[in-house]
């Protein structure tokens, strides 16, 4: 039974994330330990508050969470490369399509995002990795591209992506991420819906 209300989902997330089965990635049978928490985009602020409470509760239970917000990471990477000022300067006047293509190149998941996440994960000791900021980086960074490129980066620890939209799973069409409940991001079948996991 999938928890329907946000308070029920918060309790479910805490119960699953703090469980030995989840932390030791039991029952995955060689699948990647990627989980998705799909939530209604309009509930973003409530989910952000719940995520903070869950992190605090997990910390009190001795479970260390390391979070990377993709938007913050993208800004950090552009600043590190010395192009942030230029990006801000040209954005108002540049054609939106050209601007999107330029940023997609600068923030390519394989060349830039995944290596940056690998570097940051290597510097900390954690039990669970939270990936957030998915909606804020669309359309410059697409979630399925990030997930595909993280398969070789996030190993040995479970990852939970907070996704503003739906994660649709169908026997005939496979699984797809529907960002904001409207934009089909693409097929991504390797993650599991955290709301369907047993505590």
């Amino acid at each position: 039974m999938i928890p329907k209300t946000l308070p029920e989902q918060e309790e479910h997330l805490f119960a699953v994330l703090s469980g030995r089965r989840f932390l030791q990635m039991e029952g995955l049978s060689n699948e990647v330990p990627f989980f998705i928490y799909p939530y209604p985009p309009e509930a973003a602020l409530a989910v952000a508050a719940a995520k903070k409470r869950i992190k605090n509760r997990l910390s009190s239970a001795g479970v260390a969470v390391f979070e990377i917000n993709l938007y913050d990471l993208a800004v950090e990477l552009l600043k590190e490369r010395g192009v942030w000022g230029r990006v801000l300067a040209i954005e108002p006047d540049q054609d939106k399509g050209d601007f999107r293509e330029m940023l997609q190149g600068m923030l390519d998941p394989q060349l830039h995002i995944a290596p940056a996440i690998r570097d940051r994960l290597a510097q900390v000791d954690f039990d669970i990795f939270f990936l957030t900021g998915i909606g804020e980086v669309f359309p410059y960074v697409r979630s399925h591209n990030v997930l595909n490129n993280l398969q070789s980066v996030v190993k040995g620890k479970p990852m939970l992506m907070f996704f503003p939209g739906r994660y649709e799973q169908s026997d005939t069409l496979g699984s797809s991420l529907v960002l904001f409940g409207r934009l089909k991001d693409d097929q991504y079948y390797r993650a599991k819906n955290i709301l369907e996991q047993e505590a």
Side-chain angles (χ1 to χ4, degrees):
M1 188 76 178
I2 292 183
K4 294 276 190 285
T5 69
L6 284 177
E8 286 170 349
Q9 290 180 3
E10 180 177 341
E11 283 310 309
H12 177 79
L13 255 66
F14 176 72
V16 172
L17 298 177
S18 60
R20 189 181 64 84
R21 182 177 164 75
F22 179 84
L23 293 167
Q24 295 184 355
M25 299 177 294
E26 291 174 3
L28 280 178
S29 60
N30 292 334
E31 294 174 49
V32 291
F34 287 6
F35 298 85
I36 291 177
Y37 171 44
Y39 62 88
E42 60 275 15
L45 291 175
V47 168
K51 178 189 57 136
K52 204 171 179 179
R53 288 190 297 271
I54 290 167
K55 279 173 75 174
N56 288 337
R57 288 174 69 189
L58 287 170
S59 175
S60 298
V63 178
V65 173
F66 182 63
E67 178 181 345
I68 289 182
N69 178 298
L70 277 181
Y71 178 80
D72 294 342
L73 179 65
V75 171
E76 228 174 273
L77 292 175
L78 295 172
K79 285 180 175 175
E80 281 171 14
R81 285 163 49 203
V83 294
W84 178 243
R86 197 179 61 171
V87 166
L88 292 181
I90 64 173
E91 193 267 336
D93 305 314
Q94 191 169 24
D95 172 76
K96 293 291 172 233
D98 292 344
F99 186 72
R100 185 182 70 233
E101 272 183 41
M102 178 191 79
L103 270 185
Q104 283 174 334
M106 289 177 160
L107 298 169
D108 180 275
Q110 187 177 357
L111 300 175
H112 303 294
I113 302 279
I117 290 175
R118 179 189 294 115
D119 293 347
R120 282 153 180 79
L121 293 180
Q123 294 169 30
V124 289
D125 193 24
F126 65 96
D127 299 303
I128 305 171
F129 170 44
F130 278 7
L131 188 63
T132 60
I134 305 298
E136 291 88 329
V137 292
F138 179 85
Y140 314 115
V141 180
R142 306 292 292 266
S143 46
H144 73 278
N145 284 340
V146 173
L147 289 172
N148 284 328
N149 284 286
L150 286 181
Q151 284 169 198
S152 61
V153 171
V154 183
K155 288 179 171 173
K157 304 280 173 154
M159 180 186 81
L160 177 61
M161 180 171 89
F162 285 74
F163 186 77
R166 295 191 310 271
Y167 186 38
E168 295 179 345
Q169 292 156 305
S170 121
D171 293 338
T172 48
L173 303 169
S175 302
S176 53
L177 296 157
V178 185
L179 190 64
F180 308 132
R182 297 177 177 180
L183 308 161
K184 213 167 209 131
D185 193 19
D186 214 344
Q187 303 294 314
Y188 189 79
Y189 61 93
R190 301 200 67 179
K192 297 184 178 328
N193 185 335
I194 195 80
L195 296 175
E196 295 172 358
Q197 299 303 302
E198 285 181 32

